[in-house]
Amino acid sequence: MPSIDDRPFNEALAPQVAQRGAYLVQVGNCAACHTARGGFPFAGGKGIDTSFGTVFTSNITSDKLTGIGAWSAADFWQAMHHGRSRDGRLLYPAFPYTEYTRITRDDTDAMFAYLLSVQPVQQTNRPHALKFPYNTQAALAVWRALFFSPEPFEPLKQQSDEWNRGSYLVKGLGHCQACHAPRNVFGATQSKLGLSGGLIPMQNWYAPSLSSPVEAGLQDWPMEDIMQLFKTGKTAHSSTLGPMAEVVFSSTQHLNQKDLRAIAHFLKELPRQENAKEDRKLSTTEGQQIGQSLYLNQCAQCHGDHGEGRGDYPALAGNRTVIMNSSVNLVRIILSGGFAPTTEGNPRPYGMPPFGHTLSDSEVTAVATYVRNAWGHKAGAVMPLDVQKTR
C-alpha cells in the first residue's frame, strides 16, 4: 500500500480539484513571488534579496522543459512538504516550505492540479546569486539539520473546527510566521517565539507582533473588524500598509467568509504576549518644538491638530504604529508614504504621499519623535541613525 508521500495522482480528477487549487494558490500568495515584475504569471525569475545574497524564484507554470509540467503530484508534495526539488536538490527557505510543510497532501494535490492548468511559459530558471558558502548544498543541509524538519499539521482536539482551520491557514498556507516572527543570525525563524514580530529581512519593514495588544494583536477587536481588515485592507480605525497591503491585495481579499472568520477566530485567541519595556530615549524640549512645527505645517491638515484624524485619514493619537517600541514603520511611512491596497471593498483607497524628498533626516527625526510623545504618548525618541538606516 503506497505511503502518503508516493501515492499516485488521479489525473482524471484534476479538472474537479483545479478550481479548489486556484483558491488555495491565491491564499498562499504564490503569484506574488513566482511572478517577476512585467513577467508572465508564475514563470518565476523574481529576485528575493536576503542577507546571504539573492534567490531567484522558479518557473511553476505547466511548461514541461522549464516549469513543473513534467512533475508528478508526489514531486510537488516533496517540494512543499520536504523542501526538495524533483531531482532531490535541497531548496532554499526563501521558498517558505518551513511553513508550507504543514499543508495537507489533498491541498497540495489541488494546488498542483491548478498549476498544471496554468499557461506554459518556457523560461529557464535563473541561478541564485548567493555568497559562499551559502551557495552550497552542504551548507543548506547543515541549516536544515539545525532548523527544519517536515511537520504535518495536527489539529488540536480540544479546539473547535473553526479554530483549527484558522491555525492551519495562519501557520501553513498563509505562512504568516515567515514575516511575523523574529529571525536568528542564520535567517531561521525563531518558532518558539511564534508570531511575536520581527524585522522583514532586506525590506526595512517591521512585521508587528500578532500576540501583543500594543503592536498588532487582535485579541480585543470585534470579529467583524478583523475580517474587514483582511478583506478590504481598511477599517474605521486602521489600514494595512507596506508588505501587508500587498498580502491583502494579492491574497486575503480573496478569502471566503468561512476562512476569514476562521483566521479571525484563531488570531483573537492567540495568547497575549507582553512586550519588553523599551529603554526609552527622551526627546529634548527644543526637538519637540521643531517636531510640532513640522507636524502642524506638514501633517495636521490630514491627521488633525491633535492627531485625531480627519475623514478617511487615520488618527495618530493612540495609533499603535506610532507608539510601539519599533519606530521602523513610522519612519518608513514618513519617508516613502503609505498606501492601502485597492480591493473590492475599498476600490479607491486614500494614501499618504512620501516626504523623504522634502524632509531631511533631522526633520524626519523631529516629527517622528514629536508624534511619539504628543497627545499623552510616552514612546522613545527616534534617533537620526534610525532614519538613516531606514532611508
Side-chain angles (χ1 to χ4, degrees):
M1 186 172 181
S3 72
I4 193 170
D5 291 302
D6 59 8
R7 67 185 184 183
F9 179 63
N10 189 340
E11 298 288 351
L13 293 178
Q16 301 174 35
V17 298
Q19 185 175 0
R20 185 167 70 90
Y23 172 75
L24 296 170
V25 165
Q26 200 157 41
V27 173
N29 205 14
C30 304
C33 285
H34 287 276
T35 305
R37 185 182 293 273
F40 291 99
F42 301 105
K46 181 175 181 178
I48 298 178
D49 293 328
T50 76
S51 303
F52 312 102
T54 302
V55 174
F56 291 96
T57 58
S58 59
N59 183 344
I60 56 171
T61 71
S62 58
D63 182 68
K64 291 189 176 181
L65 291 177
T66 61
I68 61 171
W71 287 33
S72 68
D75 294 333
F76 188 72
W77 161 256
Q78 176 174 259
M80 298 286 280
H81 186 70
H82 296 283
R84 286 181 177 272
S85 189
R86 184 190 185 202
D87 58 6
R89 177 174 44 87
L90 302 178
L91 299 175
Y92 284 93
F95 169 58
Y97 60 82
T98 46
E99 281 72 45
Y100 285 166
T101 185
R102 300 180 180 90
I103 301 176
T104 65
R105 176 65 191 265
D106 284 344
D107 279 355
T108 65
D109 280 0
M111 296 169 75
F112 180 67
Y114 167 69
L115 290 171
L116 287 184
S117 74
V118 169
Q119 179 181 356
V121 177
Q122 191 170 92
Q123 179 171 290
T124 303
N125 293 324
R126 293 182 63 179
H128 304 314
L130 295 166
K131 306 168 190 174
F132 181 83
Y134 311 114
N135 59 349
T136 68
Q137 287 281 290
L140 188 50
V142 172
W143 186 94
R144 288 166 57 100
L146 292 172
F147 305 116
F148 172 71
S149 60
E151 181 183 340
F153 177 75
E154 296 290 346
L156 298 183
K157 294 179 180 179
Q158 68 270 30
Q159 295 287 356
S160 67
D161 290 344
E162 185 174 74
W163 186 95
N164 277 306
R165 176 64 175 172
S167 176
Y168 173 72
L169 291 169
V170 168
K171 293 182 178 180
L173 193 58
H175 60 287
C176 303
Q177 186 168 282
C179 288
H180 287 276
R183 293 179 180 268
N184 62 25
V185 294
F186 300 103
T189 54
Q190 295 175 277
S191 57
K192 290 184 179 179
L193 298 177
L195 300 165
S196 59
L199 191 67
I200 303 175
M202 312 303 291
Q203 291 195 34
N204 280 339
W205 282 96
Y206 175 73
S209 169
L210 296 176
S211 55
S212 170
V214 299
E215 291 199 3
L218 301 170
Q219 294 92 334
D220 299 327
W221 282 36
M223 290 280 287
E224 291 70 22
D225 283 6
I226 303 174
M227 294 169 67
Q228 182 184 350
L229 185 68
F230 287 119
K231 190 71 174 177
T232 70
K234 184 179 184 301
T235 70
H237 51 81
S238 65
S239 60
T240 57
L241 305 172
M244 191 62 203
E246 297 175 14
V247 171
V248 172
F249 175 77
S250 302
S251 177
T252 64
Q253 71 163 313
H254 304 289
L255 285 162
N256 61 43
Q257 287 296 107
K258 186 177 180 180
D259 283 345
L260 273 173
R261 182 166 288 275
I263 288 173
H265 183 178
F266 175 75
L267 293 176
K268 273 185 69 68
E269 296 296 321
L270 281 177
R272 291 174 181 264
Q273 175 188 336
E274 298 300 326
N275 285 32
K277 287 190 177 181
E278 181 183 19
D279 183 13
R280 187 179 174 217
K281 302 178 286 287
L282 299 177
S283 60
T284 64
T285 301
E286 181 184 2
Q288 281 296 93
Q289 290 173 346
I290 295 171
Q292 183 181 32
S293 176
L294 286 165
Y295 177 84
L296 292 174
N297 289 330
Q298 303 282 355
C299 316
Q301 183 177 357
C302 293
H303 294 290
D305 290 346
H306 305 287
E308 72 276 14
R310 290 179 177 170
D312 285 292
Y313 297 102
L316 300 184
N319 189 303
R320 295 190 291 184
T321 298
V322 172
I323 60 177
M324 65 183 174
N325 284 354
S326 173
S327 62
V328 168
N329 293 351
L330 173 63
V331 171
R332 181 66 186 265
I333 292 167
I334 295 171
L335 290 173
S336 305
F339 303 92
T342 300
T343 60
E344 184 177 349
N346 188 29
R348 300 181 68 180
Y350 286 80
M352 173 175 160
F355 286 87
H357 62 295
T358 59
L359 297 181
S360 66
D361 287 358
S362 61
E363 289 173 324
V364 173
T365 298
V367 73
T369 298
Y370 170 72
V371 298
R372 283 170 63 81
N373 288 274
W375 319 306
H377 297 165
K378 295 181 179 179
V382 176
M383 296 289 104
L385 183 60
D386 299 332
V387 178
Q388 291 174 22
K389 289 179 179 178
T390 303
R391 193 189 284 275

